Amino acid sequence: MDFERAYDVVVAGAGVAGVAAALECARAGLRTALIEKTVLIGGLATTGLVNFYLPLCDGLGHQVIYGIAEELLHLSIKYGPGDVPEGWRHGTPTGPDHGRGWRFSTPFSPASFVLALDEALVDAGVRIWLDTLVCAPVMEGRELVGLEVENKSGRGRLLAATVIDATGDADVAYRAGAACVEADNWLSLWALQTSLARARAAAADPGGASLLDGVRLGGSATGEGHPEGEPKRHGTDGAQVSAFVLEGRRLMRDHYRMRQAAGEETNRHHLFPITLPAMAQFRTTRRIEGIETVRADDADVSLPTAVGVVPDWRRPGPVWEIPYGAIVPQGVQRLLVVGRCISADREAWEVTRVIPPAALAGQVAGVVTTLALRGDRLPADVPVHDIQAALLSKGMPVHRSDIMTF
């Protein structure tokens, strides 16, 4: 090994889940390392150009998610543009305000969000390892005690009392031997484009958010728009990842060939892409089988081990409680898993895979890690009522019944 470092906690993956976990741990005084394989913080939200911070509310006027998830929403627009709709508390499921655009949510510039995330992490004292690839778990029996990584300095080990897997694909958990489930994906591609027509319209806009012109191609989360004859692909197979990315860019070429050939207003001088995602935009790849699971049938159900509540970003009304065991993998100790790879099935996976629930799970993992280290115990052995009390003290609902009191 070319180097070795020791921390209290190592977080693998600097998407919003990893950022939330690292911020919570560092602010609690833990020696915290955050590993990111790219040079940009934010994951799919930034590198992946998924530049809409989905709702923190239930669509009926009630805020559901608080804490670092709410802080990150405001950081996403700190360096502009974007705003939370003033009337988000007045949306109704049948009225004109029920769409995501009228909920506690906002579009944002990916570049602006990166700058704000860098700032928050540095201010918190997180040791950030950019351009660093997680290569293998460091195991002692069934205990995960660190990660082998590689970067320009060579191959090294980052050791820790607790590891948090925020890779989005459960890469650490899977390689450490945890039970996992995989899913396939519809072909899709999100990118940002610009045009003279959009610029002219934006000139009359009091803000700049309308300049964020997204182009969305391929299949939706339910498959609408998926190219006929195109297979679904797995995000855990190297060849299929490459095919997913290349076929997505082929869709983009076809899109611009058609648009640019249509006339002067959309020719190549007037309409063109300005940035493409630097990572594969899979929705679901691999998740853990936790000691508990967020079940699709548990919408609006109260769970005794709940450590947070998440809304349905697709429609007003339903909320899911997240049981603590959903971030605890089976078969591996000293490991917590956050983000889109927590243990959630079917519709619940669709609800929990997005930005706000990912950030919530990250902060919960940070709270658990702090309690575990201070109590000299494994994360899985921290009493749930201690976790719940710590979260409530931070102003974070843990049950549906808490929402109306916050």
Side-chain angles (χ1 to χ4, degrees):
M1 291 292 162
D2 298 300
F3 58 88
E4 183 172 292
R5 304 286 189 276
Y7 299 93
D8 294 317
V9 57
V10 170
V11 183
V16 292
V19 167
L23 287 174
E24 179 63 35
C25 290
R27 290 169 177 173
L30 303 186
R31 295 171 299 155
T32 304
L34 177 62
I35 309 168
E36 171 54 40
K37 66 182 179 180
T38 74
V39 297
L40 297 176
I41 304 296
L44 276 167
T46 58
T47 311
L49 305 183
V50 183
N51 65 313
F52 195 91
Y53 207 110
L54 287 168
L56 301 178
C57 69
D58 63 359
L60 305 177
H62 311 118
Q63 186 172 347
V64 174
I65 302 179
Y66 292 76
I68 291 177
E70 183 177 4
E71 177 186 350
L72 295 184
L73 181 148
H74 293 293
L75 286 180
S76 75
I77 56 176
K78 180 176 182 179
Y79 294 107
D83 286 296
V84 175
E86 292 183 3
W88 73 266
R89 289 190 181 276
H90 306 299
T92 64
T94 57
D97 299 340
H98 76 279
R100 294 200 301 273
W102 284 94
R103 294 176 65 174
F104 191 172
S105 58
T106 184
F108 59 84
S109 160
S112 298
F113 199 8
V114 170
L115 296 178
L117 292 175
D118 284 351
E119 183 178 35
L121 290 164
V122 170
D123 288 350
V126 176
R127 173 65 169 94
I128 306 170
W129 292 73
L130 297 177
D131 195 26
T132 299
L133 183 66
V134 174
C135 299
V138 180
M139 305 294 297
E140 292 182 359
R142 298 311 302 163
E143 293 190 0
L144 178 61
V145 298
L147 299 172
E148 285 189 15
V149 301
E150 191 160 325
N151 58 25
K152 295 297 185 181
S153 298
R155 178 71 70 100
R157 299 201 308 174
L158 304 184
L159 305 178
T162 300
V163 174
I164 298 176
D165 182 346
T167 62
D169 306 315
D171 287 334
V172 173
Y174 176 76
R175 295 184 183 186
C180 293
V181 173
E182 297 199 15
D184 52 19
N185 289 257
W186 307 105
L187 178 65
S188 64
L189 180 67
W190 286 32
L192 293 178
Q193 66 180 9
T194 191
S195 67
L196 287 179
R198 175 59 68 109
R200 292 187 189 105
D205 192 330
S210 60
L211 287 170
L212 298 170
D213 188 6
V215 54
R216 315 289 188 244
L217 302 176
S220 68
T222 54
E224 289 87 356
H226 182 74
E228 185 176 353
E230 184 70 26
K232 296 176 72 176
R233 290 191 169 90
H234 287 268
T236 55
D237 179 282
Q240 292 191 42
V241 171
S242 295
F244 182 92
V245 171
L246 292 172
E247 284 300 305
R249 295 207 286 253
R250 179 190 59 76
L251 283 182
M252 188 68 67
R253 289 195 300 274
D254 291 346
H255 166 77
Y256 284 108
R257 285 194 191 102
M258 180 181 67
R259 296 292 308 279
Q260 291 173 352
E264 182 175 342
E265 280 297 308
T266 58
N267 69 27
R268 67 182 183 86
H269 299 291
H270 293 76
L271 172 70
F272 48 87
I274 55 173
T275 188
L276 298 174
M279 63 183 294
Q281 297 169 317
F282 290 108
R283 294 182 173 94
T284 53
T285 57
R286 179 169 53 214
R287 65 163 178 85
I288 61 166
E289 284 278 24
I291 62 175
E292 296 178 278
T293 296
V294 189
R295 302 292 181 189
D297 297 335
D298 284 345
D300 297 323
V301 172
S302 292
L303 304 173
T305 59
V307 290
V309 188
V310 299
D312 193 328
W313 58 269
R314 305 161 302 174
R315 60 183 183 273
V319 297
W320 276 260
E321 293 188 359
I322 307 299
Y324 169 50
I327 70 171
V328 182
Q330 299 179 24
V332 182
Q333 296 180 339
R334 299 190 183 277
L335 173 65
L336 298 172
V337 180
V338 299
R340 69 179 183 186
C341 45
I342 69 170
S343 189
D345 72 5
R346 296 177 291 137
E347 186 179 14
W349 196 356
E350 182 66 20
V351 168
T352 59
R353 69 175 176 82
V354 297
I355 293 174
L360 170 63
Q363 185 171 11
V364 171
V367 168
V368 173
T369 298
T370 302
L371 292 172
L373 289 173
R374 290 176 177 171
D376 192 25
R377 59 183 64 167
L378 297 173
D381 294 334
V382 177
V384 171
H385 59 79
D386 288 354
I387 303 169
Q388 293 170 331
L391 293 168
L392 288 168
S393 73
K394 293 176 177 291
M396 299 172 64
V398 297
H399 293 292
R400 295 166 54 247
S401 58
D402 297 325
I403 293 173
M404 300 301 292
T405 66
F406 278 72

Short mmCIF file of all heavy atoms in Angstrom, two decimals, residues 40 52 54 73 140 168 172 208 242 261 315 394:
data_model
loop_
_atom_site.label_atom_id
_atom_site.label_comp_id
_atom_site.label_asym_id
_atom_site.label_seq_id
_atom_site.Cartn_x
_atom_site.Cartn_y
_atom_site.Cartn_z
N LEU A 40 -16.46 16.27 -8.88
CA LEU A 40 -17.60 17.10 -8.56
C LEU A 40 -18.43 16.47 -7.45
O LEU A 40 -18.74 15.28 -7.49
CB LEU A 40 -18.49 17.31 -9.80
CG LEU A 40 -17.85 18.03 -10.98
CD1 LEU A 40 -18.83 18.07 -12.15
CD2 LEU A 40 -17.44 19.45 -10.60
N PHE A 52 -33.41 19.18 -10.38
CA PHE A 52 -34.65 19.61 -9.72
C PHE A 52 -34.68 18.99 -8.34
O PHE A 52 -34.65 17.77 -8.19
CB PHE A 52 -35.89 19.19 -10.51
CG PHE A 52 -37.14 19.91 -10.08
CD1 PHE A 52 -37.52 21.08 -10.69
CD2 PHE A 52 -37.90 19.43 -9.03
CE1 PHE A 52 -38.65 21.77 -10.28
CE2 PHE A 52 -39.03 20.10 -8.60
CZ PHE A 52 -39.41 21.28 -9.23
N LEU A 54 -36.52 17.78 -5.59
CA LEU A 54 -37.90 17.32 -5.45
C LEU A 54 -38.47 17.68 -4.08
O LEU A 54 -37.75 18.08 -3.17
CB LEU A 54 -37.96 15.82 -5.71
CG LEU A 54 -37.78 15.44 -7.19
CD1 LEU A 54 -37.55 13.95 -7.35
CD2 LEU A 54 -38.96 15.89 -8.02
N LEU A 73 -31.42 21.87 0.04
CA LEU A 73 -32.30 22.53 -0.93
C LEU A 73 -31.91 24.00 -1.07
O LEU A 73 -31.79 24.53 -2.18
CB LEU A 73 -33.76 22.39 -0.50
CG LEU A 73 -34.79 23.02 -1.45
CD1 LEU A 73 -36.09 22.24 -1.44
CD2 LEU A 73 -35.08 24.47 -1.09
N GLU A 140 -12.44 -7.57 8.51
CA GLU A 140 -11.97 -8.41 9.60
C GLU A 140 -13.15 -9.30 9.98
O GLU A 140 -14.03 -8.90 10.72
CB GLU A 140 -11.50 -7.58 10.78
CG GLU A 140 -10.23 -6.78 10.51
CD GLU A 140 -9.74 -6.00 11.71
OE1 GLU A 140 -10.42 -6.06 12.77
OE2 GLU A 140 -8.69 -5.34 11.60
N GLY A 168 -24.68 4.82 -4.25
CA GLY A 168 -25.85 4.78 -5.12
C GLY A 168 -26.11 3.41 -5.72
O GLY A 168 -27.22 3.13 -6.18
N VAL A 172 -20.09 -0.91 -2.05
CA VAL A 172 -19.33 -1.33 -0.87
C VAL A 172 -20.04 -2.50 -0.20
O VAL A 172 -19.41 -3.52 0.14
CB VAL A 172 -19.16 -0.16 0.11
CG1 VAL A 172 -18.54 -0.64 1.41
CG2 VAL A 172 -18.31 0.94 -0.51
N GLY A 208 -33.38 33.99 -13.34
CA GLY A 208 -32.67 33.30 -14.41
C GLY A 208 -32.98 31.83 -14.53
O GLY A 208 -32.39 31.14 -15.37
N SER A 242 -21.89 1.00 -20.40
CA SER A 242 -21.39 1.68 -21.60
C SER A 242 -22.47 1.78 -22.67
O SER A 242 -22.64 2.83 -23.31
CB SER A 242 -20.17 0.93 -22.15
OG SER A 242 -19.09 0.98 -21.24
N ALA A 261 -32.87 20.35 -38.30
CA ALA A 261 -33.27 20.31 -39.71
C ALA A 261 -34.63 20.94 -39.96
O ALA A 261 -35.03 21.13 -41.11
CB ALA A 261 -33.28 18.86 -40.21
N ARG A 315 -47.00 12.53 -6.51
CA ARG A 315 -48.39 12.95 -6.31
C ARG A 315 -48.58 13.40 -4.87
O ARG A 315 -47.85 12.96 -3.97
CB ARG A 315 -49.34 11.80 -6.62
CG ARG A 315 -49.15 10.56 -5.76
CD ARG A 315 -50.08 9.44 -6.19
NE ARG A 315 -49.97 8.26 -5.33
CZ ARG A 315 -49.10 7.29 -5.49
NH1 ARG A 315 -48.23 7.35 -6.51
NH2 ARG A 315 -49.07 6.25 -4.68
N LYS A 394 -33.26 17.48 16.85
CA LYS A 394 -32.80 18.29 15.73
C LYS A 394 -33.95 18.85 14.92
O LYS A 394 -33.75 19.45 13.86
CB LYS A 394 -31.89 17.45 14.82
CG LYS A 394 -30.57 17.03 15.45
CD LYS A 394 -29.77 16.12 14.51
CE LYS A 394 -28.44 15.76 15.12
NZ LYS A 394 -27.52 16.92 15.20
#
